[in-house]
């Protein structure tokens, strides 16, 4: 059999969702309250403060999950985790003058904004094309609740693309716990080498490699901001700047 | 607000799958081994014997689930339940002369045939149309494994129709246990009155009513063959001979 007629090895493509497929940063930004007026803030600094605030909020969400895993705490509703991490962030001195602008309705709107995100521009064409291929089954495998994922699929125009959504609420443990990947393999009835995990988070891919899945890293400036990209580049089967070449990369795995 | 401008109350439509959406009987029939030759069998009797065999196999699958529920046994892989009920049926005296034709490859092919079923003719147009409506989310809520349901969606041409597939493997308990419906409501984050269960099984709908969901019965000659249809007609919000009017019925719930 020549290489071109070999059946593709990959049968299931598991996507991390927020960050990897969705631009949470651009989606949240319009929901932030205005910064307190301050004569020394040029507009560019104001944007940077708002952007940094979101990046810190996102990081503290990840930190909380890691802490919950290390303390063997059960999976928490992501809306509650987002609220508690927001409240904590607003208590830090850096945000003391901005904090009063976060009224209860603003905070509600920010929590709900996580349910309605826009995809990165390369995502829709790639995922729709992949989902039309007979050989592949596409899944979301991401932390969060099923309601969050259902809302995000609708908001991002991804209806009909995924066969199933595997949330940490369904799985019962967070990624990157080994049990999360093993649960998905059991439920899909597939071998690890038939699955590829696609994520903008090195920790997600580390977990996938531990059970023998293939891995594709997609670089997004909003995520893994403190990680060494050169190390990540070496560790995975592929390292992409966006998803435009994803189909080709997966076919060659 | 006039009735025509009221927003629809129903947000989620939960479908039972085998029997309700899929014609398991017609799908399995071609996989049965030929009957032993017998001078007194006219062809019509041969068809009836084969049909009865399938109806009995299906009934013994339901009986086994009921037994497992009453003994608090965990959910079993449906392929195993299908195999054990097939083996038991073949031991009955009625099938003693036919039984040797069920070789291991034939039995394998029969177990696998449950993964590849054709839909009833009214199903595809109705479900595709419902899934395109902004207001509704469509789900499978059925006993069986996730792999079975993924294979069935593909075989039946229903890809992209359902937001999620809720199998007894995922839920952890069989329908019609109350906990199965409560689990679905919790995961969807919806109120019971926002959900309608559509099934060709009166027991599925009894369970749905117990938690406050709306119910639509769809009559299929292959299922509920021993149940009193007049009683079923009275017990549910709607009783349909097929799914052609389902959209209209759900809009008026």
């Amino acid at each position: 059999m020549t290489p071109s007629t070999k059946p593709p090895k990959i049968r299931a493509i598991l996507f991390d969702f927020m960050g990897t497929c969705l631009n949470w940063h651009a989606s949240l930004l319009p929901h932030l309250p205005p910064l307190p007026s301050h004569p020394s803030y040029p507009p560019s600094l104001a944007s940077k403060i708002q952007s940094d605030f979101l990046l810190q909020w996102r990081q503290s969400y990840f930190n909380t999950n890691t802490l919950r895993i290390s303390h063997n705490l059960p999976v928490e509703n992501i809306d509650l985790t987002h609220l508690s991490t927001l409240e904590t962030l607003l208590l830090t001195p850096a945000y003391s003058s901005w904090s009063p602008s976060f009224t209860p309705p603003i905070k509600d709107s920010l929590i709900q904004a996580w349910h309605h995100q826009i995809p990165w521009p390369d995502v829709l064409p790639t995922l729709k094309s992949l989902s039309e291929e007979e050989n592949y089954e596409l899944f979301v495998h991401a932390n969060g609740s099923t309601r969050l994922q259902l809302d995000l699929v609708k908001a991002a125009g991804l209806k009909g693309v995924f066969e199933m959504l595997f949330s940490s609420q369904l799985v019962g443990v967070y990624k990157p716990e080994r049990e999360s990947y093993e649960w998905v393999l059991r439920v899909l009835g597939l071998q690890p080498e038939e699955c590829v995990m696609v994520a903008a988070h090195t920790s997600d891919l580390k977990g996938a490699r531990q059970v023998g899945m293939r891995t594709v890293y997609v670089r997004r400036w909003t995520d893994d901001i403190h990680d060494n990209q050169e190390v990540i580049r070496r560790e995975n089967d592929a390292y992409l700047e966006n998803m435009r070449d994803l189909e080709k990369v997966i076919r060659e795995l």
Side-chain angles (χ1 to χ4, degrees), chain A:
Chain A
M1 209 160 26
T2 65
S4 63
T5 58
K6 262 199 300 189
K9 294 185 210 92
I10 297 298
R11 293 184 53 197
I13 311 174
L14 307 170
F15 289 89
D16 175 61
F17 214 18
M18 297 197 285
T20 302
C21 297
L22 307 171
N23 185 345
W24 59 267
H25 186 277
S27 308
L28 270 282
L29 211 48
H31 296 268
L32 285 176
L35 283 168
S37 62
H38 190 295
S40 70
Y41 281 177
S44 64
L45 181 60
S47 303
K48 176 149 177 27
I49 291 172
Q50 293 189 308
S51 175
D52 283 352
F53 179 84
L54 289 178
L55 293 170
Q56 283 182 59
W57 188 11
R58 176 77 168 150
Q59 188 58 51
S60 64
Y61 162 75
F62 278 112
N63 295 348
T64 302
N65 284 359
T66 305
L67 210 64
R68 292 189 73 88
I69 291 175
S70 69
H71 286 74
N72 280 317
L73 290 172
V75 164
E76 183 179 59
N77 183 316
I78 191 167
D79 293 350
L80 297 181
T81 316
H82 277 149
L83 184 60
S84 65
T85 48
L86 175 64
E87 305 272 24
T88 305
L89 189 56
L90 289 171
L91 292 175
T92 59
Y95 299 116
S96 59
S97 62
W98 196 17
S99 163
S101 308
F102 287 77
T103 60
I106 295 256
K107 280 191 258 187
D108 277 355
S109 137
L110 279 163
I111 303 305
Q112 277 310 307
W114 288 99
H115 288 243
H116 304 277
Q117 299 178 30
I118 54 169
W120 295 101
D122 46 290
V123 166
L124 251 60
T126 302
L127 266 64
K128 289 199 171 178
S129 168
L130 278 170
S131 79
E132 281 159 15
E133 288 216 20
E134 263 297 295
N135 299 308
Y136 301 132
E137 294 176 334
L138 276 60
F139 302 95
V140 166
H141 178 207
N143 292 334
S145 65
T146 295
R147 174 45 59 198
L148 173 89
Q149 295 181 348
L150 288 166
D151 291 345
L152 286 174
V153 164
K154 196 181 285 183
L158 285 164
K159 198 176 143 55
V161 161
F162 300 110
E163 307 291 333
M164 287 272 293
L165 315 171
F166 297 127
S167 65
S168 49
Q169 181 188 23
L170 274 197
V171 178
V173 290
Y174 289 108
K175 269 189 321 178
E177 283 198 88
R178 188 186 178 95
E179 168 56 14
S180 177
Y181 302 87
E182 289 172 340
W183 185 97
V184 167
L185 289 172
R186 200 163 55 240
V187 159
L188 294 183
L190 293 177
Q191 297 303 311
E193 60 273 19
E194 295 177 304
C195 301
V196 58
M197 176 95 221
V198 179
H201 306 130
T202 182
S203 59
D204 285 349
L205 300 184
K206 215 169 275 182
R209 285 198 305 275
Q210 273 175 9
V211 298
M213 289 183 185
R214 311 302 298 269
T215 59
V216 174
Y217 188 84
V218 181
R219 177 72 181 128
R220 304 294 190 192
W221 74 265
T222 52
D223 289 71
D224 278 2
I225 52 176
H226 300 305
D227 293 87
N228 182 330
Q229 294 295 318
E230 284 315 306
V231 174
I232 296 175
R233 196 182 286 273
R234 285 194 302 271
E235 283 175 346
N236 295 290
D237 291 310
Y239 180 101
L240 301 174
E241 295 296 335
N242 56 57
M243 288 193 194
R244 283 186 230 283
D245 285 333
L246 185 61
E247 198 163 344
K248 182 168 164 285
V249 161
I250 287 177
R251 212 171 19 232
E252 288 168 2
L253 282 180

